[in-house]
Amino acid sequence: MKLLSSLFILFLIFGCKPENTSDYQADLIIYGGTSAAITAAVQAKKMGKSVIVVSPDTHLGGLSSGGLGFTDTGNKSVIGGLAREFYHRVYLHYQTDSAWKWQKKEEYGNKGQGTPAMDGENRTMWIFEPHVAEQVFEDFVSENDLEIHRDEWLDRESGVTKENGQITQIKTLSGKTYRGKIFIDATYEGDLMAAAGVSYHVGRESNKTYGETWNGVQVGVYQHGHYFKKDISAYLIPGDSTSGLLPEISADPPGENGEGDKKLQAYTYRLAMSRHSENRVPFPKPAGYDPARYELLARVYASGWDETFDKYDPIPNLKTDTNNHGPFSTDYIGANYAYPEASYEERKDILKEHTAYQQGLLYYLSHDEKVPDSVRAKMAQWGLAKDEFTDNNNWPHQIYVREARRMIGAYVMTEHDVLGAKPVPNPVGMGSYSLDSHNVQRFVTEDGYVQNEGDIGVHPKNPYSISLGTLLPKKEECTNLLVPVCVSSSHTAFGSIRMEPVFMILGQSAAAAASLAIDQGIAVQEVKYEELRKILLEEGQVLEQ
């Protein structure tokens, strides 16, 4: 008997031990740490599914917690479901006295994009500090007991296993494997989608591709203020083409209007800056700083430009969400073309270059004598917010990937859908923001002057629906993947869709569709729309107006 008892104990100790503690399995595997990833995970849990979020990011929330606190909302009435819950929780936070550490609540200007930042009637708040947004996402995680595997990077070379058109498992660089019934790619880059062999596009399509007007090259189109309004020589010696180009100007011709290319709208870091003396860190001088690379900005100032501080958008506690503004600003134009397809190491180098450019710009604005005295004096009031991004020298963890890969899926949204020229089938959410693209390139005109190209801002007359088909790959390519961030859309349509509230909406809708597919053992493309629609409406999603 003693022998049998001993054998039984050994069986309990060793026989029940998992074969490999690096192997994981769940109904739904979500790759990414963005706002869409978290809303997707919450929705899947609500529908009774096991879910693992495999996040390359340590900090959750993407741009929503990465500096973009001055939310691009458009028409707020079309933001429902978990996205609205997110902004409601932000509102509740700022109703507490403890939320106002560096500023009195009554002194906050309550400025939003077209409407007040704080909407008392609907109990939502659309403008917030980065650390507040991150805490809301972490609250979602803890309250829903979400399993998050952080700092896990997809093996993009051989980490996706497919059988009969389905992803069976993914593997990360650490060697962990994740098996699931359905997968969601919720990254800004679309790495899982690409590694799974799903079709996608990088860059701008030609106008001919989808019969559009605002796609492709757009030389001479100025729909925002981010262009050179006065003639400024592109050359080191003004007017002398033999002297060479100033830094940050491309020698390549811009192309013909309406032509497609492989170029991307510029990236930037959305900075949390502070003007409170106790919460301000001086702008760092980056290694290798060279004021000569900002000579073009000096010429912009010499031309009379004075809009330096127009996009120091106020968020609570005397901070900003600082965004690009003007012809030469925080957008690092032309430096991101390789990013979507680049290796992880190459991306690190690209991000390092963007950081050096932007930190150098801030240092230049603060110190260089070619900057007007009035600007330098005002810059002296500002610094990086000491209480934000505290583990990264107060610099954002996430660069603003405005556009990377875009899936070519079951339905391609175009500007015709966004501008209301055609009905959208099977809506799973709504958008309302302008067709919005930042500048794509900076070039030399035939007269030897510098100019920017690619800045588009065309506002739809009404909010528009977003089709389920934009989340789905073509069935012949993959039957158990949904893509709520790098959605199937043209460059111009994505310019409107690419807003953080919309990503949250689409993440939730993608998870609802995934859950139905799991329940019924069917391909994601076979989910019955009416069944999905019923669930989405019950969850508070707004699908049409």
Side-chain angles (χ1 to χ4, degrees):
M1 287 296 295
K2 289 184 179 180
L3 178 61
L4 289 175
S5 298
S6 299
L7 289 173
F8 182 70
I9 292 171
L10 288 171
F11 173 77
L12 289 177
I13 293 173
F14 296 105
C16 297
K17 186 177 180 180
E19 290 184 9
N20 190 335
T21 55
S22 294
D23 294 336
Y24 299 89
Q25 187 168 344
D27 294 327
L28 179 64
I29 305 297
I30 299 170
Y31 183 61
T34 61
S35 59
I38 303 307
T39 57
V42 172
Q43 181 61 34
K45 266 306 197 63
K46 290 177 73 172
M47 295 180 70
K49 302 297 170 285
S50 60
V51 55
I52 300 175
V53 177
V54 182
S55 173
D57 309 305
T58 301
H59 296 271
L60 303 178
L63 258 295
S64 286
S65 60
L68 205 167
F70 199 75
T71 309
D72 299 317
T73 54
N75 188 319
K76 296 174 178 62
S77 67
V78 303
I79 300 172
L82 289 169
R84 182 162 286 266
E85 172 67 15
F86 172 85
Y87 296 106
H88 171 61
R89 291 183 179 220
V90 171
Y91 171 87
L92 293 177
H93 170 81
Y94 285 108
Q95 294 304 301
T96 64
D97 292 339
S98 60
W100 300 91
K101 182 176 181 180
W102 306 110
Q103 179 182 35
K104 293 181 179 179
K105 180 180 177 182
E106 57 269 22
E107 294 175 352
Y108 174 60
N110 203 27
K111 178 184 176 184
Q113 292 208 41
T115 58
M118 196 178 303
D119 183 347
E121 180 179 352
N122 293 298
R123 295 173 61 79
T124 52
M125 188 164 177
W126 308 95
I127 312 298
F128 46 83
E129 299 159 276
H131 75 270
V132 172
E134 185 171 359
Q135 187 57 56
V136 172
F137 289 117
E138 292 293 350
D139 289 344
F140 279 145
V141 170
S142 60
E143 291 168 17
N144 293 278
D145 194 24
L146 299 180
E147 184 173 350
I148 313 289
H149 292 206
R150 304 174 197 243
D151 197 24
E152 291 292 341
W153 298 77
L154 177 69
D155 179 347
R156 292 160 56 193
E157 297 300 320
S158 58
V160 177
T161 303
K162 288 178 70 178
E163 295 177 8
N164 300 319
Q166 288 192 335
I167 302 170
T168 57
Q169 74 172 29
I170 63 173
K171 182 178 68 174
T172 59
L173 294 179
S174 70
K176 294 186 175 73
T177 58
Y178 299 88
R179 298 182 65 86
K181 297 174 183 176
I182 303 291
F183 293 77
I184 289 178
D185 184 339
T187 64
Y188 291 121
E189 295 83 6
D191 283 343
L192 174 55
M193 170 189 73
V198 171
S199 299
Y200 61 87
H201 189 86
V202 175
R204 299 181 286 188
E205 298 93 347
S206 70
N207 273 326
K208 292 180 180 179
T209 304
Y210 298 115
E212 295 176 297
T213 300
W214 303 111
N215 213 331
V217 176
Q218 299 284 328
V219 172
V221 177
Y222 309 123
Q223 294 176 334
H224 293 114
H226 311 313
Y227 65 98
F228 294 87
K229 299 178 182 179
K230 295 185 178 180
D231 291 341
I232 294 177
S233 178
Y235 303 114
L236 291 170
I237 300 174
D240 182 0
S241 62
T242 65
S243 64
L245 290 172
L246 288 171
E248 314 306 340
I249 301 174
S250 172
D252 297 330
E256 298 295 323
N257 277 16
E259 282 184 343
D261 57 26
K262 296 297 184 182
K263 299 172 182 176
L264 300 168
Q265 57 178 310
Y267 296 173
T268 189
Y269 285 96
R270 298 285 287 250
L271 300 179
M273 293 163 54
S274 172
R275 59 185 175 89
H276 193 288
S277 59
E278 295 178 40
N279 194 39
R280 184 175 66 223
V281 176
F283 297 121
K285 182 180 182 180
Y289 169 73
D290 181 5
R293 77 181 305 185
Y294 306 105
E295 174 61 26
L296 182 55
L297 179 57
R299 295 186 189 181
V300 172
Y301 278 126
S303 75
W305 186 79
D306 63 352
E307 302 172 21
T308 304
F309 302 97
D310 283 13
K311 284 301 290 178
Y312 282 41
D313 291 318
I315 62 176
N317 284 308
L318 299 179
K319 300 177 192 175
T320 70
D321 166 1
T322 301
N323 194 13
N324 178 83
H325 182 74
F328 190 108
S329 185
T330 58
D331 278 2
Y332 192 9
I333 298 172
N336 61 338
Y337 301 157
Y339 180 86
E341 304 281 28
S343 68
Y344 291 134
E345 288 303 315
E346 289 167 340
R347 284 181 185 169
K348 286 181 182 179
D349 289 340
I350 292 170
L351 297 182
K352 185 177 180 180
E353 291 169 4
H354 277 74
T355 300
Y357 166 80
Q358 203 163 339
Q359 289 183 348
L361 174 63
L362 293 170
Y363 192 84
Y364 181 83
L365 289 170
S366 306
H367 293 84
D368 201 277
E369 293 184 356
K370 290 186 177 181
V371 176
D373 292 343
S374 59
V375 173
R376 278 186 288 143
K378 192 170 182 179
M379 283 296 295
Q381 302 172 24
W382 292 99
L384 299 178
K386 185 184 293 185
D387 61 353
E388 300 290 352
F389 315 118
T390 55
D391 62 347
N392 197 43
N393 296 317
N394 312 110
W395 196 258
H397 309 110
Q398 175 67 59
I399 197 168
Y400 195 173
V401 179
R402 291 190 171 100
E403 192 169 0
R405 298 182 179 99
R406 299 187 313 280
M407 181 169 64
I408 304 173
Y411 185 88
V412 180
M413 288 280 290
T414 70
E415 67 184 48
H416 305 297
D417 300 285
V418 173
L419 298 178
K422 57 183 286 195
V424 175
N426 301 337
V428 292
M430 297 194 75
S432 62
Y433 208 76
S434 299
L435 302 171
D436 183 68
S437 172
H438 280 233
N439 279 307
V440 174
Q441 53 186 334
R442 179 177 290 137
F443 66 98
V444 185
T445 69
E446 292 180 355
D447 297 324
Y449 300 118
V450 61
Q451 194 50 267
N452 296 333
E453 181 277 323
D455 187 74
I456 300 297
V458 180
H459 193 69
K461 293 180 181 179
N462 300 296
Y464 59 91
S465 297
I466 301 171
S467 175
L468 170 62
T470 64
L471 312 181
L472 304 174
K474 297 173 182 176
K475 192 174 182 180
E476 61 269 24
E477 293 183 346
C478 191
T479 59
N480 67 335
L481 174 69
L482 294 105
V483 184
V485 177
C486 294
V487 295
S488 177
S489 67
S490 69
H491 160 72
T492 48
F494 193 76
S496 176
I497 295 169
R498 65 177 180 85
M499 305 302 156
E500 287 292 300
V502 178
F503 288 154
M504 293 187 216
I505 291 167
L506 298 182
Q508 181 178 10
S509 294
S515 297
L516 284 176
I518 291 168
D519 287 340
Q520 299 171 25
I522 58 176
V524 293
Q525 293 87 355
E526 296 173 358
V527 169
K528 292 181 176 61
Y529 175 69
E530 288 307 320
E531 294 179 11
L532 176 61
R533 177 185 177 86
K534 182 176 183 294
I535 292 171
L536 296 181
L537 292 175
E538 289 172 351
E539 294 293 337
Q541 294 280 50
V542 182
L543 304 183
E544 63 248 317
Q545 281 195 337

